[in-house]
Amino acid sequence: MSYQSQVQAAAAAVNGKPGWESISAESVARMRLQNRFQSGLDIARYTAAIMRRDMAAYDADPAAYTQSLGCWHGFIGQQKLISIKKHFGTTDKRYLYLSGWMIAALRSEFGPLPDQSMHEKTSVPALIEELYTFLRQADARELGGLFRDLDAARAAGDAVKAKAIEHQIDNFQTHVVPIIADIDAGFGNAEATYLLAKKMIEAGACALQIENQVSDEKQCGHQDGKVTVPHEDFVAKIRAIRYAFLELGVEDGIIVARTDSLGAGLTKQIAFSREPGDIGDQYNSFLDCDEIDVGQVGNGDVVISRNGKLLRPKRLASNLFQFRAGSGEDRCVLDCINSLQNGADLLWIETEKPHIGQIAGMVNRIREVIPTAKLVYNNSPSFNWTLNFRQQVFDAWVAAGKDVSAYDRARLMSVDYDGSDLAAEADERIRTFQRDAAREAGIFHHLITLPTYHTAALSTDNLAKEYFGDAGMLGYVKNVQRAEIRQGIACVKHQNMSGSDIGDDHKEYFAGEAALKAGGVHNTMNQFAA
């Protein structure tokens, strides 16, 4: 609906109502445009459709991959999308990622926690709602600026400029983008997963990522001690999430099934098997077992029968059972195929290093069964990207017969190698990693889980070093404020960013000439007008 159509629709709602003569239809239209999404479910339905279109586009051309950064606060997410629009003119194929790790570390009332599902489950939908509140405010702020420009053009009698601004309003692209939200291992049984999924969807999430770890022993994907659950248990949670989407009318909702099997060597349960070769039997086939006879069964032993043999799975004092060493990739492939066959839309394979060949090897096996399989992949800060890629280049050079005598593989992280040919090739591989992995390893969505956690720490360290050192106030002015001005960072006008101009507009709508507005001549933000 065009701007003028919005004004006409508002006029139809306002005109003729006794006592409403002072209500401006155009002001109503503006407020409606600034508040396009009336609920989180509106957002979830809108963004789910975006993701479905993007998934189809990727299937047609792997160069059309998508990206996101993890954000731990609404303001961080807002600034990210404002920056994307400023630099690229569009938010297409850019999402937000909500990391359970960052909620645990930064948003729990218990204080900083490890990524072990100990934080309040309600903090997850609360952050989704917060992120979308800030993105909607970004819409209101940018549109408010266009409305002010429109009023100024009209006051100047410049009809051509006014028409051009109306065209910008009509073609305004919202800052609201899809969020892929981390539901960890579901925070309990399938019913608990369903209840939390509903809250997350109602807050606006169109894509939920769930992992196949046991919920009460959940660990960060890059830590040790991970314990997986049998496929039937995981599928029950996938099914619970699908029911939550369908109940709430988000029929395009996306489920991302994550497997931690590559790094998980333990299971809490032996899977129930009805017949040889079923999914439970396949899960159990990876257990590390000793073949025994009946006479060797000891007190409290758990034994299983497979292929006519009596097997005793190796059990730890923690009552956990071990998988065979080296079975991780096979388990990952089976996990992924089974998840897609039972309602998941996208896959997530948590790896121990960013290696395209390793990822592609698993994805190609999955695609032999499900050709459209595609991944969400964690470009994790837990990887030492510099060291990993320098080692990959070193190994490739050795395999190619190239002279590597100038390099010590064990100390390739050293600054001594920063200007070397090997380092340059490694950096180029890092630069093109997302593009190459999208093409070669089936990665539809690239995300970094914790980037803004690290950037906040780095920028704060730099400011503290300067401000509390010899630079004093220049440390802030030169490296923060002046940089904001030079780079056109919108929040240099922090009063405007916080909504003061939006509030002034509303005051004028509500009180007319009697409005006491904050943006007058004495507002110090006017110093940044130039």
Side-chain angles (χ1 to χ4, degrees):
M1 186 183 292
S2 70
Y3 179 71
Q4 289 301 326
S5 297
Q6 289 277 7
V7 174
Q8 292 167 12
V14 169
N15 293 345
K17 299 292 194 304
W20 289 22
E21 292 81 8
S22 62
I23 300 294
S24 162
E26 186 160 22
S27 297
V28 171
R30 291 179 175 187
M31 294 174 80
R32 286 177 173 178
L33 286 168
Q34 289 174 301
N35 188 25
R36 171 180 173 181
F37 300 99
Q38 302 300 305
S39 72
L41 286 176
D42 288 343
I43 292 172
R45 295 184 188 108
Y46 168 78
T47 54
I50 291 174
M51 278 196 72
R52 292 289 178 180
R53 289 194 299 271
D54 287 347
M55 289 161 66
Y58 174 82
D59 287 340
D61 179 6
Y65 61 89
T66 57
Q67 299 168 290
S68 65
L69 296 174
C71 297
W72 52 271
H73 192 280
F75 176 74
I76 301 297
Q78 178 197 62
Q79 294 306 300
K80 173 189 145 183
L81 267 298
I82 289 174
S83 177
I84 288 169
K85 284 192 74 174
K86 179 183 76 173
H87 290 295
F88 304 103
T90 178
T91 61
D92 289 351
K93 296 182 172 55
R94 275 83 172 195
Y95 304 167
L96 286 175
Y97 180 66
L98 185 151
S99 162
W101 193 102
M102 284 212 284
I103 288 181
L106 297 171
R107 301 301 300 261
S108 172
E109 292 183 10
F110 293 107
L113 294 171
D115 183 19
Q116 296 171 358
S117 290
M118 295 189 291
H119 55 278
E120 309 86 351
K121 64 177 69 177
T122 52
S123 60
V124 187
L127 180 53
I128 297 169
E129 183 177 8
E130 177 181 293
L131 284 161
Y132 280 129
T133 296
F134 274 80
L135 295 186
R136 291 163 66 197
Q137 193 261 11
D139 281 359
R141 173 189 163 275
E142 187 174 331
L143 282 166
L146 290 172
F147 298 151
R148 287 166 178 256
D149 291 344
L150 178 60
D151 290 341
R154 288 173 175 174
D158 192 338
V160 173
K161 185 174 182 180
K163 194 67 177 176
I165 295 169
E166 283 194 28
H167 180 75
Q168 287 181 265
I169 296 168
D170 291 343
N171 292 278
F172 178 81
Q173 185 181 37
T174 177
H175 295 82
V176 169
V177 298
I179 286 179
I180 298 176
D182 187 359
I183 198 171
D184 281 8
F187 288 86
N189 61 14
E191 175 69 5
T193 302
Y194 155 76
L195 292 171
L196 179 55
K198 282 183 61 178
K199 288 295 185 184
M200 294 170 72
I201 298 162
E202 287 170 343
C206 72
L208 302 184
Q209 166 225 324
I210 186 164
E211 60 204 62
N212 69 338
Q213 292 191 49
V214 63
S215 59
D216 61 342
E217 298 282 356
K218 179 260 186 304
Q219 295 275 17
C220 172
H222 295 285
Q223 291 181 326
D224 204 357
K226 293 181 289 296
V227 182
T228 63
V229 297
H231 296 89
E232 291 290 354
D233 293 38
F234 189 53
V235 165
K237 292 186 176 182
I238 290 175
R239 200 175 293 127
I241 293 172
R242 181 62 66 202
Y243 272 108
F245 273 125
L246 293 172
E247 177 185 339
L248 295 171
V250 185
E251 297 181 4
D252 283 339
I254 288 95
I255 299 173
V256 182
R258 168 176 149 179
T259 175
D260 280 284
S261 289
L262 199 61
L266 302 168
T267 182
K268 199 168 189 177
Q269 299 165 254
I270 295 174
F272 175 73
S273 174
R274 295 175 178 82
E275 59 186 34
D278 66 13
I279 194 65
D281 188 47
Q282 292 180 67
Y283 187 79
N284 294 338
S285 73
F286 294 111
L287 292 170
D288 191 0
C289 300
D290 293 321
E291 185 177 347
I292 61 172
D293 58 40
V294 174
Q296 292 175 293
V297 177
N299 182 58
D301 275 354
V302 173
V303 296
I304 61 175
S305 173
R306 291 193 78 249
N307 300 323
K309 298 176 181 179
L310 195 61
L311 305 173
R312 180 170 55 205
K314 292 181 180 177
R315 184 165 56 162
L316 307 180
S318 59
N319 206 32
L320 300 171
F321 298 93
Q322 290 185 181
F323 288 114
R324 292 194 316 276
S327 65
E329 287 201 9
D330 291 338
R331 285 183 282 126
C332 275
V333 171
L334 180 61
D335 294 345
C336 291
I337 292 171
N338 189 67
S339 294
L340 292 176
Q341 289 175 333
N342 285 277
D345 302 291
L346 295 168
L347 302 171
W348 174 316
I349 299 175
E350 194 71 272
T351 66
E352 81 286 0
K353 59 183 179 294
H355 193 288
I356 293 175
Q358 178 195 38
I359 304 163
M362 289 183 280
V363 171
N364 289 337
R365 292 173 62 190
I366 297 163
R367 285 182 163 179
E368 289 175 6
V369 181
I370 302 173
T372 58
K374 46 191 167 288
L375 270 63
V376 171
Y377 187 72
N378 178 8
N379 292 229
S380 177
S382 293
F383 304 143
N384 185 330
W385 286 77
T386 301
L387 180 61
N388 268 290
F389 276 82
R390 288 182 181 182
Q391 289 178 340
Q392 288 179 38
V393 172
F394 182 95
D395 294 342
W397 283 10
V398 169
K402 196 167 182 176
D403 181 15
V404 293
S405 59
Y407 303 97
D408 179 353
R409 191 181 188 280
R411 52 183 300 273
L412 287 175
M413 186 65 199
S414 171
V415 67
D416 297 342
Y417 296 125
D418 281 1
S420 68
D421 291 343
L422 185 146
E425 182 171 331
D427 282 355
E428 179 62 13
R429 290 193 183 197
I430 294 170
R431 187 185 72 82
T432 64
F433 174 80
Q434 295 188 347
R435 182 189 68 198
D436 296 341
R439 182 185 65 250
E440 299 172 22
I443 297 177
F444 157 73
H445 185 76
H446 283 277
L447 61 90
I448 308 178
T449 43
L450 321 175
T452 53
Y453 178 90
H454 291 279
T455 54
L458 179 62
S459 61
T460 302
D461 181 79
N462 290 334
L463 175 60
K465 178 179 66 176
E466 295 289 318
Y467 177 74
F468 293 104
D470 290 341
M473 192 58 194
L474 183 60
Y476 173 79
V477 171
K478 181 178 179 181
N479 298 318
V480 180
Q481 188 180 80
R482 193 178 300 165
E484 286 180 304
I485 295 169
R486 299 287 188 260
Q487 295 177 43
I489 305 298
C491 73
V492 71
K493 298 182 181 181
H494 48 258
Q495 308 285 15
N496 168 269
M497 185 57 64
S498 71
S500 65
D501 288 341
I502 297 172
D504 276 359
D505 291 339
H506 291 171
K507 290 174 185 177
E508 191 167 8
Y509 298 164
F510 306 154
E513 293 181 357
L516 183 63
K517 297 192 287 186
V521 67
H522 297 297
N523 189 317
T524 59
M525 286 292 100
N526 293 329
Q527 295 173 21
F528 300 97

